[in-house]
Amino acid sequence: MAPRLDFSNLWGKDNTRKGTPVVVTMENPNISVVEIDGPDAAFRPVEKSRGKNAKQVTWVLLLKAHRAVGGIAWLASVLWALLGTIKKRLVHRRGVDVETEKLGKGKLLFRVIKAFLVTSLAILAFEVVAYFKGWHYFQNPNLHIPRTSELQGWLHMVYVAWLTFRAGYIAPAIQALSTFCVVLFLIQSADRMILCLGCLWIKYKKIKPTIVGDPFETNDVEKSAGFEYPMVLVQIPMCNEREVYEQSISAVCQIDWPKNCLLIQVLDDSSDESIQCLIQAEVAKWSQKGINIRYRHREVRTGYKAGNLKSAMSCNYIKDCEFVAIFDADFQPNPDFLKQTVPHFKDNPEVGLVQARWAFVNKDENLLTRLQNINLCFHFEVEQQVNGVFLNFFGFNGTAGVWRIKALEESGGWLERTTVEDMDIAVRAHLKGWKFIFLNDVKVLCEVPESYEAYRKQQHRWHSGPMQLFRLCLPAILTSKISAWKKANMILLFFLLRKLILPFYSFTLFCIILPLTMFVPEAELPVWVICYVPVFMSLLNILPAPKSFPFIVPYLLFENTMSVTKFNAMVSGLFQLGSSYEWTVTKKTGRSSESDLLAVAERESKTMNQLQIHRGASESELSELNRLLEQKEAAAAPVKKVNKIYKKELALAFLLLTASVRSLLSAQGVHFYFLLFQGISFLLVGLDLIGEQMS
């Protein structure tokens, strides 16, 4: 269908006047009288060109021409900047020494992409000109194309056969698949709306877990002041965490809790001996200050984090502990964390887990961290809080939570069978009848990945593990003693709808079906599916983080882009492929909050004062100290690494951009804009142009 470019309604003005207006000039030159022919004539717009001479018209035309040239120059500069960025990404590998062969491949790939872009632009320009001039391949005699009647008949027969096959076989299959995905999309959207309504109800009724009275107050004068404090074990699992080990251990050691009721375990799985020495030195420093802290290192790193936690729980010196708090290496709890979480276990013997919320010190670092903040704010504010209030069940986040050790033991302890050991123990504890409490007001500082590579690996682990766990837990869920509606909630909502259906329809509907409908016009996708419902769902997702409202469009596009990784991870976990067993530690940068930076500055100033006091020290000791400080600074400095190219995202970028051109020629406005911007987002992600690149 050709686009309607008829501007006659705008240009077709009735310029016919019923008579000639007469101007009568009075003696006063400032007053004039205009004779009008009717009531409508008084309200006619005054012609802007009236009274202008030829010189003024020339200047107006020159101004318009200047604006047109400026627009073309702006488009050319954008294209040139894009090509320059692609060349920089593929050829100029900064920060590392790359082999000549890799550089050659990078140059070759850049030439292919550049040639593809130039060729595509040339073909697109020709097709646009031919389209608006009304040229047709078989009808226009002006096209100097050598052909015969037999060739024309053969091509016409092939074209008609293709149209028949497309309308009879391809279009029905695409239409059926699109209808199925749209139904799944609507079901998932309804679930998202119900969660948001539940969150609004919680806020309206001000529902939240509360602590009655002072749980640590005792009326028995014979008892000591700390008698009511239970014994708490704090575990810090880490693996080659050079950037964050110091601030994490420091934050945990400053928790406000009686020292005789607190035991800290630093569970180090580092393979780098230098990092092991640094962590041991940090543990020894706090141990000399009277903190009950232990260092534990495994020689054989089986089971990753789950194996590390399982091995630590077998120690004899923790048998007197009643609760265990777990913090990943980049988490920095406040000093009152235990006083805000542990009291919820008192007089609630059925509570097995108290989960706190995450807060991010680097949420405003770049576009990638801002988009992650939107997702995680919705996860904690809506999903975790609603499930905790109405169901007393949610997935354990793996950190910033306190477990009752009895609940861990009765649920079978930590298992190494999946890469989501936190979700595994939560499901098994729920099947045993334990209840969970989520504290939305208790926040623990942490980091989100700043590079796309780290975020991509994290998302792959988070979406392949649940499918792998679903296969293993399904028989146990069906045979458990919990109620039928709890079984249905766990199977249909917790696993299938939010872990399997969401990445499936997001990838299939927006990345495959939509571009295919541009080339198979018999299969249609309604406008509300690609415009109104996604925008409305994005608005709901962004409500818990209202300051991120300007990023709603990048958020929508980036979520569709990430559906490729999530879909791939879901399939690998569901069918037990090799990539489902990958467990890569998410790289951190060691960001700190403003209060932490002030504390570090104060500590460094005290250290400098001590150095000035001890001026009598030998030069060798001072030189050794300076050498250690230089090594630490060099080790902490981030190193740029080789930029990666993601082939799946690039292939989909070219598919979506090609479909956008087809949509433009068929005059489908909303489809064109969606495909264009979605293709650009895939291109940026495929070239790794979002987020930071840290080694």
Side-chain angles (χ1 to χ4, degrees):
M1 180 186 297
R4 297 180 179 178
L5 301 178
D6 186 10
F7 298 101
S8 59
N9 295 330
L10 298 178
W11 295 342
K13 297 181 180 179
D14 187 10
N15 296 324
T16 306
R17 298 181 180 273
K18 299 178 181 180
T20 304
V22 178
V23 179
V24 180
T25 306
M26 307 295 292
E27 295 180 358
N28 189 353
N30 296 327
I31 300 176
S32 63
V33 178
V34 180
E35 179 182 353
I36 59 177
D37 300 308
D40 295 335
F43 301 97
R44 291 173 184 168
V46 180
E47 297 180 5
K48 295 182 179 180
S49 60
R50 187 175 178 180
K52 294 182 180 179
N53 54 28
K55 187 175 182 180
Q56 290 176 333
V57 173
T58 304
W59 279 110
V60 170
L61 294 177
L62 288 176
L63 180 60
K64 291 182 178 180
H66 181 268
R67 290 178 180 176
V69 173
I72 297 175
W74 180 79
L75 292 175
S77 63
V78 170
L79 179 61
W80 184 260
L82 178 61
L83 292 176
T85 305
I86 295 174
K87 182 177 181 180
K88 179 180 177 181
R89 179 62 70 194
L90 297 178
V91 181
H92 301 291
R93 311 290 179 96
R94 295 184 176 181
V96 293
D97 294 328
V98 187
E99 296 179 1
T100 307
E101 296 181 358
K102 292 184 179 180
L103 284 175
K105 293 180 180 179
K107 290 181 179 179
L108 178 61
L109 183 58
F110 171 69
R111 291 171 183 170
V112 171
I113 294 177
K114 185 167 63 173
F116 177 80
L117 289 176
V118 173
T119 306
S120 301
L121 289 174
I123 295 175
L124 178 61
F126 173 77
E127 288 184 352
V128 170
V129 172
Y131 181 78
F132 284 104
K133 291 214 176 264
W135 294 347
H136 298 283
Y137 183 80
F138 296 106
Q139 298 177 2
N140 194 346
N142 296 327
L143 292 178
H144 300 285
I145 301 177
R147 63 192 181 192
T148 61
S149 58
E150 295 181 359
L151 177 61
Q152 180 178 358
W154 182 77
L155 291 177
H156 184 268
M157 181 180 62
V158 172
Y159 181 69
V160 172
W162 157 247
L163 292 180
T164 305
F165 179 77
R166 186 181 73 181
Y169 297 96
I170 299 180
I174 296 178
Q175 191 67 49
L177 182 59
S178 64
T179 303
F180 178 67
C181 291
V182 168
V183 172
L184 296 180
F185 183 28
L186 294 178
I187 294 175
Q188 197 272 336
S189 300
D191 173 67
R192 191 64 57 93
M193 283 197 62
I194 293 174
L195 289 175
C196 292
L197 292 177
C199 183
L200 292 176
W201 179 259
I202 291 173
K203 289 186 176 297
Y204 175 72
K205 291 294 185 178
K206 298 181 180 180
I207 303 173
K208 64 178 182 179
T210 57
I211 304 172
V212 180
D214 188 356
F216 306 110
E217 183 180 0
T218 176
N219 297 324
D220 194 344
V221 296
E222 295 181 358
K223 295 181 180 180
S224 61
F227 183 80
E228 292 292 331
Y229 286 86
M231 189 69 183
V232 178
L233 170 67
V234 180
Q235 294 178 329
I236 313 176
M238 57 180 61
C239 178
N240 296 324
E241 306 282 3
R242 183 188 296 271
E243 297 83 6
V244 295
Y245 77 92
E246 186 176 1
Q247 63 189 28
S248 176
I249 296 175
S250 174
V252 170
C253 291
Q254 297 180 44
I255 290 180
D256 185 12
W257 199 258
K259 294 182 180 180
N260 59 334
C261 298
L262 184 66
L263 173 62
I264 301 174
Q265 276 186 323
V266 178
L267 311 177
D268 184 22
D269 266 4
S270 301
S271 56
D272 192 337
E273 294 183 358
S274 62
I275 300 178
Q276 296 176 23
C277 295
L278 292 173
I279 298 175
Q280 286 180 345
E282 186 69 17
V283 171
K285 181 184 74 174
W286 287 102
S287 179
Q288 292 175 0
K289 295 181 180 180
I291 303 298
N292 188 8
I293 184 171
R294 305 287 183 91
Y295 175 83
R296 180 178 174 84
H297 180 265
R298 294 193 304 163
E299 295 295 335
V300 181
R301 295 178 57 245
T302 57
Y304 302 108
K305 181 181 177 181
N308 197 1
L309 295 173
K310 180 180 179 180
S311 175
M313 294 300 296
S314 63
C315 298
N316 293 327
Y317 57 82
I318 68 169
K319 60 182 180 180
D320 296 330
C321 297
E322 186 177 355
F323 305 101
V324 54
I326 303 173
F327 298 101
D328 283 351
D330 60 317
F331 278 72
Q332 308 168 45
N334 293 327
D336 60 347
F337 175 81
L338 293 181
K339 289 188 175 181
Q340 290 181 313
T341 55
V342 174
H344 290 278
F345 290 98
K346 187 179 181 181
D347 301 329
N348 291 320
E350 72 279 3
V351 174
L353 167 66
V354 175
Q355 174 72 58
R357 180 176 176 171
W358 299 358
F360 312 105
V361 297
N362 61 338
K363 63 181 179 180
D364 298 327
E365 192 64 28
N366 54 47
L367 179 60
L368 179 60
T369 58
R370 292 177 185 272
L371 299 180
Q372 292 179 71
N373 179 62
I374 296 174
N375 250 343
L376 292 172
C377 283
F378 182 86
H379 170 69
F380 287 107
E381 185 86 15
V382 180
E383 292 180 346
Q384 297 291 76
Q385 185 173 208
V386 172
N387 291 328
V389 170
F390 295 103
L391 301 176
N392 296 121
F393 166 71
F394 48 83
F396 175 47
N397 294 114
T399 177
V402 182
W403 276 94
R404 191 189 297 270
I405 294 181
K406 181 181 178 181
L408 289 177
E409 294 174 349
E410 289 187 358
S411 304
W414 300 103
L415 298 182
E416 309 164 5
R417 54 183 183 174
T418 65
T419 58
V420 285
E421 74 292 331
D422 46 5
M423 185 181 295
D424 190 356
I425 188 63
V427 170
R428 288 184 281 116
H430 181 61
L431 296 180
K432 291 293 183 179
W434 291 98
K435 296 182 179 180
F436 303 161
I437 293 178
F438 178 76
L439 302 178
N440 190 54
D441 297 333
V442 182
K443 300 180 181 180
V444 182
L445 292 177
C446 63
E447 292 185 17
V448 289
E450 295 184 10
S451 66
Y452 176 71
E453 180 186 359
Y455 178 66
R456 188 170 181 266
K457 292 180 179 179
Q458 181 195 70
Q459 292 300 307
H460 186 278
R461 186 176 77 248
W462 285 4
H463 286 81
S464 65
M467 289 296 96
Q468 189 179 3
L469 178 64
F470 177 66
R471 291 172 55 98
L472 299 174
C473 288
L474 183 58
I477 296 174
L478 295 175
T479 58
S480 63
K481 297 180 180 180
I482 61 176
S483 60
W485 73 272
K486 287 186 176 181
K487 293 181 181 179
N489 170 72
M490 182 171 289
I491 295 175
L492 299 179
L493 296 181
F494 185 75
F495 277 111
L496 292 182
L497 185 60
R498 298 168 188 166
K499 303 297 188 300
L500 187 147
I501 292 178
L502 177 59
F504 171 77
Y505 86 76
S506 180
F507 171 75
T508 307
L509 189 62
F510 296 107
C511 301
I512 301 298
I513 294 179
L514 180 59
L516 287 181
T517 55
M518 297 297 101
F519 302 99
V520 185
E522 292 84 0
E524 298 180 352
L525 202 59
V527 175
W528 58 268
V529 175
I530 64 173
C531 181
Y532 304 121
V533 176
V535 171
F536 180 69
M537 290 297 105
S538 299
L539 285 173
L540 293 181
N541 284 8
I542 212 169
L543 285 180
K547 293 183 180 180
S548 302
F549 183 79
F551 302 96
I552 182 173
V553 174
Y555 170 75
L556 175 61
L557 298 175
F558 183 71
E559 281 301 297
N560 291 334
T561 305
M562 284 303 300
S563 64
V564 181
T565 300
K566 296 176 181 179
F567 178 82
N568 185 31
M570 182 267 295
V571 172
S572 65
L574 188 63
F575 296 101
Q576 301 290 302
L577 302 179
S579 59
S580 62
Y581 295 95
E582 294 179 358
W583 211 107
T584 306
V585 178
T586 304
K587 300 301 294 182
K588 290 91 176 177
T589 58
R591 305 285 183 185
S592 300
S593 61
E594 294 181 1
S595 59
D596 295 328
L597 294 175
L598 293 175
V600 170
E602 183 179 357
R603 186 166 60 249
E604 289 180 352
S605 64
K606 291 181 179 179
T607 304
M608 294 301 297
N609 292 333
Q610 292 177 0
L611 289 176
Q612 292 178 0
I613 293 174
H614 296 86
R615 290 181 181 274
S618 62
E619 294 182 359
S620 60
E621 293 177 353
L622 293 177
S623 61
E624 182 67 18
L625 178 60
N626 292 331
R627 186 181 65 83
L628 292 175
L629 291 175
E630 290 176 358
Q631 289 181 355
K632 186 175 181 179
E633 291 178 357
V639 181
K640 293 288 183 179
K641 69 179 302 183
V642 177
N643 301 320
K644 286 196 172 183
I645 302 298
Y646 301 99
K647 298 179 180 179
K648 297 185 183 70
E649 284 78 1
L650 284 179
L652 285 171
F654 294 139
L655 173 63
L656 291 168
L657 291 176
T658 306
S660 68
V661 176
R662 181 66 179 83
S663 175
L664 176 64
L665 296 180
S666 60
Q668 297 181 359
V670 176
H671 296 72
F672 165 72
Y673 289 114
F674 183 87
L675 290 168
L676 176 64
F677 291 116
Q678 191 65 70
I680 293 174
S681 66
F682 267 103
L683 182 63
L684 296 177
V685 171
L687 296 174
D688 201 5
L689 296 176
I690 181 172
E692 300 292 337
Q693 277 277 309
M694 310 300 289
S695 67

